[in-house]
Amino acid sequence: MTVNETMLAGRKAIVTGAGKGIGEAIARQFAAAGAEIVLAARTGGDLERVAADIRAEGGTAHCVSADMGDVGQVTALVEQAAALMGGVDIVVSNAAATGNAPILDLSVDEWNAVQQVNVTGTLALLKAAFPHLSAHPAGTALIISSIRGLSGTPGTGAYGASKAALNHLTRTLAAEWGAAGIRVNAILPGPVFTPLMEESARINPKIREAYENCSPVAGWCLPEDIARPALFLVSDAARKISGNLMIIDGGLTAINQDCLLLAD
């Protein structure tokens, strides 16, 4: 896909979890389409690398450190982004915690920590952004959820529950905020070959083989495969799309099977 360099011209976006993986790919795609970007994550090292690349390509990028598990930091992120860019009209909530463990092995505190980052952090981000989004005729929010929120998967209960909550939140906000001119959508990726997945596959090579070949459309989904549809969803080309849960998984959920039955 060739990015139209004016597709997001004049738009001002926040992308959380932008230092690597899906968030990095989205930030780069948006910048290539002409948007000014605030890159957010807990640590600044990766953000500075991504920002430097965007600037080298002629784009505009700012870095703001923020922990999505801290509501105060999330609120401050939005206000700082608005001050840096003179407004905010696109918000992408991508940063997430995993917390992989069987439910019986998961403490209540560990459960709450995942919900705090994934659900409460996203809610705080979007609520803080509402005044800015509603002030723009094309204000839009995009939540990066997961197919884990569609069905039960052993060992991912806390994560899956948080993503199910985000799927519901997407449609609720689309219904409530449409009158303010704000569109809210979600992307539900299947397995994506991010740096985190690459590390998991290095530790257990069977993960690489299983996930790579489990979908009808064979081969890994890459971060760019999420970033391109993300660009479409926040652009004027999708101006009548809201409350949509876009599944990007190579057809995995269409065949009602998963690839987590892996040998230890």
Side-chain angles (χ1 to χ4, degrees):
M1 172 181 170
T2 301
V3 177
N4 183 332
E5 295 181 358
T6 64
M7 195 170 184
L8 297 183
R11 307 293 297 275
K12 305 173 188 302
I14 297 172
V15 181
T16 68
K20 59 185 64 174
I22 292 172
E24 175 182 350
I26 289 174
R28 290 179 183 276
Q29 194 82 6
F30 285 13
E36 183 175 358
I37 312 289
V38 163
L39 311 168
R42 283 184 300 175
T43 56
D46 285 327
L47 295 182
E48 293 294 346
R49 172 183 56 82
V50 177
D53 288 348
I54 289 174
R55 292 168 190 147
E57 295 292 327
T60 304
H62 315 274
C63 301
V64 177
S65 296
D67 183 348
M68 289 297 290
D70 186 319
V71 170
Q73 290 188 37
V74 172
T75 302
L77 160 64
V78 174
E79 296 314 310
Q80 187 172 350
L84 284 167
M85 299 188 293
V88 175
D89 54 82
I90 298 172
V91 176
V92 179
S93 183
N94 166 72
T98 54
N100 293 332
I103 293 294
L104 285 178
D105 296 336
L106 198 67
S107 71
V108 172
D109 286 344
E110 289 169 329
W111 171 278
N112 288 339
V114 174
Q115 311 314 313
Q116 180 69 22
V117 172
N118 296 359
V119 182
T120 304
T122 296
L123 180 63
L125 176 70
L126 298 186
K127 288 185 68 173
F130 177 86
H132 304 286
L133 298 178
S134 60
H136 192 278
T140 184
L142 180 62
I143 295 171
I144 305 302
S145 182
S146 170
I147 62 170
R148 289 283 175 263
L150 299 177
S151 60
T153 303
T156 67
Y159 179 78
S162 74
K163 296 301 184 175
L166 290 181
N167 295 344
H168 191 278
L169 179 64
T170 297
R171 288 185 161 164
T172 299
L173 292 183
E176 293 184 352
W177 290 6
I182 301 171
R183 297 187 300 107
V184 185
N185 292 292
I187 289 178
L188 283 56
V192 180
F193 201 63
T194 62
L196 181 61
M197 181 66 79
E198 185 175 7
E199 176 63 16
S200 297
R202 186 189 64 78
I203 296 171
N204 182 0
K206 291 184 178 181
I207 290 178
R208 178 189 291 269
E209 180 180 355
Y211 277 125
E212 188 171 14
N213 298 302
C214 64
S215 299
V217 180
W220 276 104
C221 180
L222 302 176
E224 293 75 15
D225 296 316
I226 309 302
R228 294 173 186 130
L231 173 60
F232 164 72
L233 284 174
V234 303
S235 74
D236 289 343
R239 69 184 188 90
K240 285 297 183 181
I241 299 177
S242 192
N244 184 266
L245 307 179
M246 180 183 284
I247 296 171
I248 304 176
D249 67 352
L252 177 59
T253 53
I255 57 173
N256 194 30
Q257 72 178 37
D258 210 323
C259 301
L260 289 184
L261 300 178
L262 304 172
D264 293 333

